[in-house]
Amino acid sequence: MQDFATPDSRCGPGCATQDAVQLNASCFCAGPSAAALAEALHNDHAGPQVYELISERCPHLFAALPVFVSPAQSARMAQLIGAVEQVVALPAYQAAVLADAPAIARHDPGARGVFYGYDFHVGEDAVGLIEINTNAGGALLNAALARAGRGCSAIGDAGDGSARAQTLEDAIVAMFRNEWRLGGRSTPLRTIVIVDDEPENQYLYPEFLLFRQLFARHDIDALIVDPSMLRWEAGSLWRGDLIVDLVYNRLTDFMLDAPEHAALRDAYLANAMVLTPHPRAHALYADKRNLALLCDDARLTELGVPAATRAILISAIPHTELVRASETERLWRTRREWFFKPVAGYGGRAAYRGDKLTRRAWEDIQNGDYVAQAIMAPPARTGGSAEAPDRLKFDIRSYAYDGAVQWTAARVYQGQTTNFRTPGGGFAMVYTANA
């Protein structure tokens, strides 16, 4: 586990008079300690296994210092999430998006989908929605971080970290139970299968263990399973001799296309179990082509989006457009202004900053399905210590369900995209500055 910041005696009462930008540049007094994180993870009843796994496999999972946002930024992020939800609820929007989606995305299972992640860059009092995810990881890791945190005078009345973590965990369990009900079930939820390819080799496998422990504390049995171990038989999805009730889906095969996911796909289409998140949620929210629609005033007007909602979206989503053959000459010429992303991408994979683009990568972009998004530079967080400062980047992730924000975290990093490989980087607490 990386070394965490220790309180800096020169950063104390004066923090309370600084704004978010100043705090991100100079506050070193609110970081967690490795010992506090270890205690927090042990208190999650996960025992030493989770802490040891994180120490060995992903030591840069937790940032050394928190991140600060202004009250205006916080309010605008929540406002933007509400505006997106208003648009997605429109039948005209759903029809437009699903018309170009794979057939499986047009299946409506009733459930909404858990862990929507809205990722933002912030600047001054501005916010920019960079992307939306439908299987955002890290929520329980952030609960552990909250338990381990310690305050500074800038944070003010941020509430007890343990209490906030408990509230988040209760909300997560309630969310899964609500998904179960929305999926048409009336009996108590008893069994959840957490699914990912080779789960024990996944970077965030420690969080799967935290989920298993959380569900167990609420009388829900949970298994962590590779989807190839599931079988579709006699109208049910089975893991061994157990009928699966609900699948918490951590796969990045968003449309369940892979042959090894056939049992999961067949059971989903037959409504034999509740799958969350699911292909329809990804098509409606996370396909990056949607960002081009959500910042297109003319198309939004055609869909019947009110003017006030359109204004919120257009002001907070960096201009995004599809990479079309007719526009490639212009996009190449102005490439330094753009970030290029695959429409079904995730985790920064196969994404390119235009100023670092090679001719070979440009060929891949032209031959693939990509969007070009106007670059909004990530904000900066000074890491390290006052004696040896280090400039880092960060983005903000809001976890949301049914339009309500459950938690807001930051991801601190160096490089082109978030990576959880940066010393001093990783998930960070987010506080709204007092000043």
Side-chain angles (χ1 to χ4, degrees):
M1 184 78 69
Q2 67 191 39
D3 293 330
F4 289 88
T6 55
D8 189 322
S9 61
R10 291 170 296 172
C11 184
C15 290
T17 63
Q18 297 181 18
D19 63 20
V21 173
Q22 293 169 323
L23 288 165
N24 286 327
S26 62
C27 178
F28 297 96
C29 67
S33 69
L37 269 169
E39 182 179 358
L41 290 166
H42 285 207
N43 287 344
D44 276 330
H45 309 284
Q49 181 182 10
V50 170
Y51 182 76
E52 290 171 359
L53 277 173
I54 292 172
S55 300
E56 294 169 5
R57 292 169 45 170
C58 37
H60 306 303
L61 197 54
F62 297 109
L65 294 167
V67 161
F68 298 90
V69 297
S70 72
Q73 289 167 340
S74 181
R76 293 190 70 177
M77 286 187 283
Q79 184 186 52
L80 188 281
I81 291 169
V84 170
E85 290 289 343
Q86 290 176 38
V87 175
V88 173
L90 294 174
Y93 171 88
Q94 296 185 16
V97 168
L98 295 176
D100 295 328
I104 193 172
R106 292 190 280 277
H107 174 68
D108 187 351
R112 291 188 55 84
V114 297
F115 293 118
Y116 289 83
Y118 289 78
D119 294 344
F120 296 91
H121 285 174
V122 297
E124 297 298 332
D125 286 333
V127 302
L129 178 65
I130 305 304
E131 61 185 50
I132 306 172
N133 300 285
T134 49
N135 64 349
L140 279 187
L141 294 167
N142 280 287
L145 187 61
R147 287 194 174 94
R150 60 172 176 259
C152 81
S153 59
I155 296 171
D157 186 18
D160 176 74
S162 294
R164 294 180 66 204
Q166 186 64 53
T167 297
L168 173 61
E169 290 176 351
D170 290 345
I172 288 171
V173 174
M175 174 174 65
F176 276 93
R177 285 178 169 151
N178 193 53
E179 290 290 274
W180 178 242
R181 290 189 292 270
L182 291 174
R185 275 60 174 183
S186 58
T187 58
L189 174 60
R190 297 298 186 193
T191 305
I192 292 177
V193 170
I194 303 167
V195 166
D196 205 347
D197 292 320
E198 299 182 350
E200 292 186 1
N201 294 326
Q202 294 295 329
Y203 192 76
L204 291 186
Y205 177 66
E207 186 180 41
F208 296 175
L209 298 175
L210 293 178
F211 271 107
R212 187 171 66 185
Q213 294 296 332
L214 173 64
F215 293 140
R217 296 198 299 274
H218 291 266
D219 299 319
I220 301 171
D221 292 330
L223 304 175
I224 302 170
V225 173
D226 185 295
S228 64
M229 302 174 70
L230 301 172
R231 73 181 191 278
W232 167 240
E233 182 180 291
S236 295
L237 186 68
W238 298 78
R239 168 62 176 99
D241 59 358
L242 176 71
I243 293 178
V244 176
D245 288 340
L246 182 146
V247 173
Y248 172 26
N249 177 21
R250 295 289 291 249
L251 293 167
T252 54
D253 174 18
F254 302 113
M255 297 298 146
L256 306 179
D257 289 326
E260 57 268 29
H261 303 156
L264 194 61
R265 179 175 61 250
D266 292 344
Y268 168 68
L269 290 172
N271 291 323
M273 50 75 183
V274 175
L275 178 72
T276 184
H278 46 69
R280 183 182 181 89
H282 185 273
L284 290 175
Y285 287 86
D287 188 308
K288 292 178 180 57
R289 290 175 295 186
N290 297 346
L291 292 173
L293 188 161
L294 289 169
C295 66
D296 186 329
D297 188 59
R299 291 198 66 190
L300 292 173
T301 300
E302 292 173 1
L303 296 176
V305 179
T309 304
R310 298 199 310 270
I312 293 168
L313 294 167
I314 293 167
S315 67
I317 299 177
H319 177 75
T320 306
E321 60 183 83
L322 302 181
V323 177
R324 296 188 173 94
S326 60
E327 301 297 329
T328 54
E329 181 179 349
R330 173 181 60 85
L331 291 171
W332 173 256
R333 187 176 65 252
T334 60
R335 61 189 179 278
R336 294 179 180 276
E337 302 172 12
W338 303 100
F339 205 107
F340 297 92
K341 302 178 180 181
V343 299
Y346 62 94
R349 290 168 173 81
Y352 304 93
R353 278 185 62 99
D355 58 355
K356 300 182 183 300
L357 199 58
T358 65
R359 280 285 185 180
R360 175 62 182 274
W362 181 236
E363 290 178 7
D364 293 340
I365 290 170
Q366 293 178 85
N367 294 328
D369 290 327
Y370 271 75
V371 298
Q373 185 177 72
I375 289 176
M376 180 178 182
R381 176 61 164 115
T382 300
S385 65
E387 293 79 13
D390 187 17
R391 186 176 177 84
L392 304 172
K393 305 172 185 176
F394 70 88
D395 68 5
I396 301 293
R397 167 168 287 180
S398 291
Y399 296 88
Y401 180 69
D402 198 16
V405 175
Q406 299 168 309
W407 194 263
T408 300
R411 298 180 297 175
V412 180
Y413 66 101
Q414 286 178 330
Q416 184 166 288
T417 59
T418 54
N419 50 44
F420 296 104
R421 301 294 194 276
T422 301
F427 284 117
M429 290 293 294
V430 174
Y431 297 113
T432 301
N434 292 330

